Every structure is written in C-alpha cells, then in structure tokens.
Amino acid sequence: MSMPASTLVACAPRDAIDARNDTRFRWLLTATAIFVLVTLAGAALSMLWGGRSVLQQEGIQFFIRSDWNPVENRYGALVPIYGTLVSALIAMLIAVPVSFGIAFFLTEVAPRWLRTPVGTAIELLAGIPSIIYGMWGFFVLMPVMREHLIPWLDTHIGPLPIIGVLFRGPPIGAGMLIAGFVLAIMVIPFITSMMREVFLTVPTRLKESAYALGSTRWEVSWDIVLPYTRSAVIGGIFLGLGRALGETMAVAFVIGNSVNFTASLLEPSTTIAALIANDFGEATETYRSALLLLGFVLFIVTFFVLAIAKLLLRQLARKEGQR
C-alpha cells in the first residue's frame, strides 16, 4: 500500500528540519569540546608565558635544582615537586586498600539496612571543604603524631638501613607523612564511591556461582569482582590521585611549608600547590614569574598522570578484547 502524495510532501520538510537540527546539535557539541581544550591550553600557556623570565634565567636547572631562594632570585622546583609526588603517593598507598575494603564491605558483607546510611555518609565526606580537613589535621592529627607516632617511628624504624632515612626526624608533627594521611582521608570518599558503584555492576549470578564452588569472600573479590571492574577501578584511582596532586589548603596546614630538601617524611617540606597558595599574594614580579612557572609544572604533572591512566585503560581494554 503506497502513501498518499500529500503525506510524502509533508514528510520531506520534516526530514530536512530533523537533519538540520541534528547538524546544529553536532556542531554545538563539537564547539563545547573545543572550548574545553582551548581553555586548558590557554591556562597552561598563560602560566608558561608568565614564567618565561625565570625559565630563561634558570633553564633546565629550574626543574632539577633544590635551591629556592627568592631573596637572591635563585629558583629550583625540585623540593615542591618531590613533596607533591611523595605526599600523593603516601595518600594513595593508604587510600586505595581502605577504599577497596569499604566498597567491598558495602556491596558484599554489610547487611542491607546498613549499606545505604554508610554509603550516604561516605559520599557526604566528599563535600566537606578541604580547609576543614586541614584544620582537623593541624589541631587533632598533628599532636597525636608528634606525641606518639613520630617518636615510635624514629626509635624503631629510623635505625634501619635504606628505609630508615625516611623515618628519622624531630617530633615536629608537620611533614609529608601527615600530609599524606590528610590527603588519603580526603580522597577515600571519591575512590570508595567509584568502586562501590562499579562493584554493584558485577552480575550477582557470577558471584553466586563462585560462592557455590567454595570460593571465599577474598577469592570472590580478588578473582571475580576486581577483574570484572578493573578498568573502572583504575580510572577511579587515578582520579583520586589527580585530586591529591592538586590539593592546596589542607596540605598547607600540615606539611610545614619548608623549601629545604629533606628525604625524611617526618620533617617539614612543601608541595607545588601549597607553595603557590602561601607566597603568591606577596610575591614580587620575578618571584611571581617563578610561581607561575611552578603552576605550569603542576599542570604538566597532573596531565601526565591522567594520560598514563588513559593509556593503562586503553591497554586493559585491548587485552580484554584479545581475550
């Protein structure tokens, strides 16, 4: 049965309108993506342009030297780069296993009446301002570490070869170790929420089959849940790492804000974000240029971290496709 001619005529303008609207929508989405890329590139290039004078003065030595002396106009970014990477690494070493344990507890172990309240409480922790975490670390966690943990570490682990140098120092309280603790507490809600959501996507029949074959909860989590959600879990971990690398106020409260290089985790140090936040408001023109160049370094470090995460996820997806 053929359609009337009038119906065909009416459908033609409608098809043209739909095609035109679809083209406009596609261009709108493309413009949005381009805007984001241009904004990111503009932010990075503006910081690089603002720090060009110090980059011309110091050259490659800016990235590998530890001498940071604004009075004599000598700038080396090794100390804040080292503090940023080490404090973020400590945070992830603490946050990843704790987040995995909490997420698995909420999805597999906790009774149903407890899952929603605990899950909601963890998500609310992500909304607490970072300065609150910093104040808590300064007034609560730092005295505890100064009186109990640091003397114990200095006495029992400090004399050990190789790793002992990381745990020697006076009981000041401020340092990269406490900064890592505070960052871990801050990123745990983000990583836990991500893991919890992806763990819920694992088919129930798959887990029940493993339990029926005699698997323990640990075996189910390690051999079933993690392989099934590996890509999403790694993505969530690297997002948490990106948050830890760029945190400012919480770290500035507890790290000590010292630009002197030290390998010890118990002595004051600094990070890129904390140094910029503390000194940018009162910086002279040359010093401001050095801080802008330091901001560009933080941008590059964060970009490389996220790029590595993307490459890992792509590699995992390729391996899963080959299987």
Side-chain angles (χ1 to χ4, degrees), residues 20-70:
R20 187 163 53 249
N21 291 337
D22 185 67
T23 302
R24 291 174 180 175
F25 183 67
R26 185 170 60 253
W27 279 108
L28 178 61
L29 295 180
T30 303
T32 304
I34 293 174
F35 172 76
V36 173
L37 295 177
V38 170
T39 302
L40 290 175
L45 292 176
S46 64
M47 288 185 290
L48 180 61
W49 179 256
R52 67 189 185 281
S53 60
V54 172
L55 185 60
Q56 292 173 353
Q57 171 186 322
E58 302 292 342
I60 194 66
Q61 295 296 319
F62 177 83
F63 304 98
I64 60 177
R65 196 170 63 189
S66 61
D67 186 12
W68 187 272
N69 192 337

Side-chain angles (χ1 to χ4, degrees), residues 87-104:
S87 58
L89 178 61
I90 294 172
M92 301 312 294
L93 290 175
I94 299 172
V96 171
V98 172
S99 299
F100 174 79
I102 296 174
F104 190 76

